[in-house]
Structure formats: C-alpha cells, structure tokens
Amino acid sequence: MSGAEILNFHKLKRTSCREGILKVMLSSKQALSEGEIRDNLKGHYDRTTFYRSFKTLEAKRIIHKVVVDNLFVKYALGNTLNPKKMHAHFFCKDCNSVECLNNTPIPTYPLPDGYTYSDTEVIIKGSCAKCNQ
C-alpha cells in the first residue's frame, strides 16, 4: 500500500510531507527515530511542517511510538490498515535497531476488579540476527 492509499484510507488530506514520511517508513524494514525520518526528507520541509505532519500521523495511529527507554524512541507503521494482534518489539543493543515482532503476541494479564486495560507494551532486548553473525 502506498502513502497516498494510507492517507485516503484514513480520510486525511494528502500532503507531500505526509506522503514523504510514509514513503520513508514503508521503505524501512525497522522502526525509525523521528530524526532518521527527518534526515531522509532533509531539505524538503521546514521543521514546523514536518512536526505537524508527523504528529497527525501519530494521532491517527498510522504510526506508533516504541519507547525503548527515556532517551530512545522509535516509530513504526501502525496496525490500523490491517489490524493485527498486539505485538512485542525487539531492541538490538548492538545496532540500536527496533523491529515489530508481529508474530509474537502479548499475553493478557489479569487485573484487579475495577481496573480497565488500555495498552500493554513489551520490549525484548538483546542482539538481532544480523549482529549475532
């Protein structure tokens, strides 16, 4: 699916910045930081245009945030196009890559009475297959 198709699916106005962000993310096999995405679009958009477009895509859950720790955040395409089970993320401590583990479901956890679930995040840390070679 192209960036234009994703925006149309979500009934969002097609802008070159939004399409550019999605093109960068669609071409990557791993999650990217905001800076990595911006660097791939360097010189095309000012900071305000990029930031507003980026935040719109996040608010519409087209992209989702993966928080590895307080100083390390990456973004991946969301699950709103093809709803998937909740999934874990893998963080490689060697190359700092983050990947969605779509075939690694997150178990449900029993909660005390009166508690309601909103979200669960699982980050598995280690070394990726590439770094283990």
Side-chain angles (χ1 to χ4, degrees), residues 70-90:
N70 290 340
L71 301 174
F72 199 83
V73 178
K74 296 275 187 161
Y75 293 86
L77 287 172
N79 297 331
T80 56
L81 297 177
N82 298 314
K84 302 173 189 170
K85 297 179 276 187
M86 287 191 321
H87 60 276
H89 295 94
F90 186 86

Side-chain angles (χ1 to χ4, degrees), residues 24-131:
V24 169
M25 296 190 78
L26 286 165
S27 67
S28 178
K29 294 188 185 288
Q30 60 186 349
L32 301 169
S33 70
E34 189 175 327
E36 290 169 326
I37 297 165
R38 193 174 49 245
D39 288 348
N40 276 287
L41 298 172
K42 197 169 213 134
H44 291 91
Y45 309 101
D46 62 53
R47 288 179 49 155
T48 302
T49 301
F50 173 83
Y51 182 76
R52 285 182 181 158
S53 296
F54 193 81
K55 290 304 174 188
T56 297
L57 295 175
E58 186 179 8
K60 291 289 190 176
R61 301 180 66 101
I62 295 171
I63 60 176
H64 68 276
K65 184 186 291 190
V66 182
V67 180
V68 177
D69 61 36
N70 290 340
L71 301 174
F72 199 83
V73 178
K74 296 275 187 161
Y75 293 86
L77 287 172
N79 297 331
T80 56
L81 297 177
N82 298 314
K84 302 173 189 170
K85 297 179 276 187
M86 287 191 321
H87 60 276
H89 295 94
F90 186 86
F91 170 68
C92 178
K93 290 182 171 186
D94 299 318
C95 67
N96 292 330
S97 65
V98 175
E99 294 180 48
C100 293
L101 300 176
N102 294 318
N103 295 323
T104 305
I106 298 174
T108 56
Y109 298 96
L111 297 174
D113 289 339
Y115 285 67
T116 58
Y117 160 85
S118 68
D119 199 15
T120 301
E121 295 181 16
V122 174
I123 299 192
I124 302 166
K125 298 178 181 181
S127 296
C128 68
K130 184 177 177 182
C131 291

